[in-house]
């Protein structure tokens, strides 16, 4: 059976990823594909336990290197227990964040050495790469405003300062420039309908 496709959505806070993940998964199911929706950190029982350590508590709970290690520990579980089995069944995997988030948040945001992050990727994920990555780009203030109106009190990351969020937005744009075959930047300030339409258009031209 043909291996399924692996699609990731990335971006800063309040970029609208969760809405777009469900819309994309629904559109792909309408086309007859088997689709799983998943997320990072998390996406398997063990990885969800690690997620709790990462998103809750004071902003200075972990140093950047520890955070990177925890994200890759969660990712290894997620890849082994959820993503690879789904791809081997022939399912499409639509994932809310993946390793580009570690490079952006821990690398560009917290200043963790980017080669160290790449070596963690090689050692824990190996040869698997997303087939297509959407980077949902939104100005920092607009994103944080949107995230705040969710009224959840904010994860550890939402509570980090504006300079951190600016570094990670620039980081995501840099990642897209460095990986033009895999990544496409979407203007997430547009309406949800426009963003959903653009995502499907890119799937049609780049994947099917
Ligand atoms: P979420 O709010 O998109 O569910 O993600 C939880 C937080 O984890 C989000 O603020 C970004 C952060 N994060 C990292 O810092 N590094 C990573 O590798 C991942 C996957 C997420």
């Amino acid at each position: 059976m043909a291996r399924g496709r692996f699609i990731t959505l990335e971006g800063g806070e309040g970029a609208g990823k969760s809405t777009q993940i469900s819309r994309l998964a629904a559109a792909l199911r309408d086309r007859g594909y088997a689709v799983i929706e998943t997320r990072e950190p998390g996406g398997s029982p063990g990885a969800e336990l690690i997620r709790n350590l990462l998103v809750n508590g004071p902003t200075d709970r972990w140093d950047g290197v520890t955070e990177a290690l925890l994200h890759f520990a969660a990712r290894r579980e997620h890849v082994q227990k959820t993503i690879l089995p789904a791809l081997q069944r022939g399912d499409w995997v639509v994932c809310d964040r993946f390793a580009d988030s570690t490079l952006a948040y821990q690398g560009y945001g917290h200043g963790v050495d980017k080669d160290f992050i790449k070596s963690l990727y090689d050692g824990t994920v190996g040869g698997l790469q997303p087939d297509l990555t959407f980077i949902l780009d939104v100005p920092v203030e607009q994103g944080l405003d949107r995230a705040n109106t969710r009224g959840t009190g904010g994860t550890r990351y939402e509570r980090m300062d504006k300079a951190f969020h600016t570094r990670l937005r620039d980081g995501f744009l840099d990642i897209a420039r460095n990986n033009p075959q895999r990544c496409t930047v979407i203007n997430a300030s547009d309406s949800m309908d426009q963003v959903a339409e653009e995502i499907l258009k890119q799937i049609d031209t780049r994947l099917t």
Side-chain angles (χ1 to χ4, degrees):
M1 170 177 297
R3 173 186 167 279
R5 302 301 185 112
F6 180 26
I7 301 170
T8 57
L9 270 76
E10 297 278 6
E13 307 301 324
K17 284 181 292 87
S18 316
T19 309
Q20 295 302 333
I21 294 268
S22 351
R23 290 183 67 149
L24 172 59
L28 291 171
R29 284 187 191 110
D30 280 350
R31 294 174 178 197
Y33 297 110
V35 182
I36 68 153
E37 291 167 62
T38 188
R39 68 167 180 184
E40 289 209 345
S44 71
E48 288 290 334
L49 291 174
I50 300 172
R51 177 188 174 91
N52 280 332
L53 300 174
L54 281 160
V55 302
N56 297 317
T59 51
D60 61 356
R61 183 175 193 183
W62 310 110
D63 103 301
V65 171
T66 312
E67 263 184 35
L69 292 168
L70 287 169
H71 278 293
F72 273 103
R75 181 160 303 127
R76 166 100 189 156
E77 275 295 294
H78 184 212
V79 166
Q80 296 292 318
K81 307 270 168 68
T82 304
I83 297 178
L84 286 177
L87 292 174
Q88 277 151 10
R89 283 195 304 270
D91 292 1
W92 285 46
V93 175
V94 181
C95 188
D96 188 341
R97 297 192 183 283
F98 193 62
D100 294 320
S101 279
T102 315
L103 199 53
Y105 279 75
Q106 282 66 51
Y108 290 84
H110 285 320
V112 175
D113 183 72
K114 297 184 184 67
D115 288 332
F116 173 64
I117 293 177
K118 286 189 186 113
S119 71
L120 289 176
Y121 190 101
D122 293 342
T124 57
V125 181
L128 175 73
Q129 282 277 352
D131 295 295
L132 183 58
T133 295
F134 292 99
I135 304 223
L136 271 53
D137 181 57
V138 75
V140 170
E141 284 194 352
Q142 189 185 347
L144 289 176
D145 280 353
R146 281 187 189 167
N148 285 335
T149 55
R150 276 188 225 139
T152 50
T155 65
R156 274 180 69 237
Y157 293 100
E158 284 166 23
R159 286 183 261 115
M160 287 181 187
D161 62 25
K162 199 177 154 204
F164 174 84
H165 291 282
T166 305
R167 285 197 296 281
L168 72 90
R169 181 189 187 200
D170 294 343
F172 276 123
L173 294 175
D174 229 20
I175 291 169
R177 269 191 298 272
N178 294 336
N179 298 276
Q181 305 281 20
R182 174 175 65 83
C183 297
T184 177
V185 178
I186 302 282
N187 178 1
S189 304
D190 286 345
S191 74
M192 283 195 260
D193 286 346
Q194 282 169 307
V195 173
E197 207 176 297
E198 182 57 29
I199 287 177
L200 276 183
K201 205 159 90 190
Q202 293 288 334
I203 302 250
D204 286 339
T205 41
R206 295 168 79 127
L207 277 194
T208 52

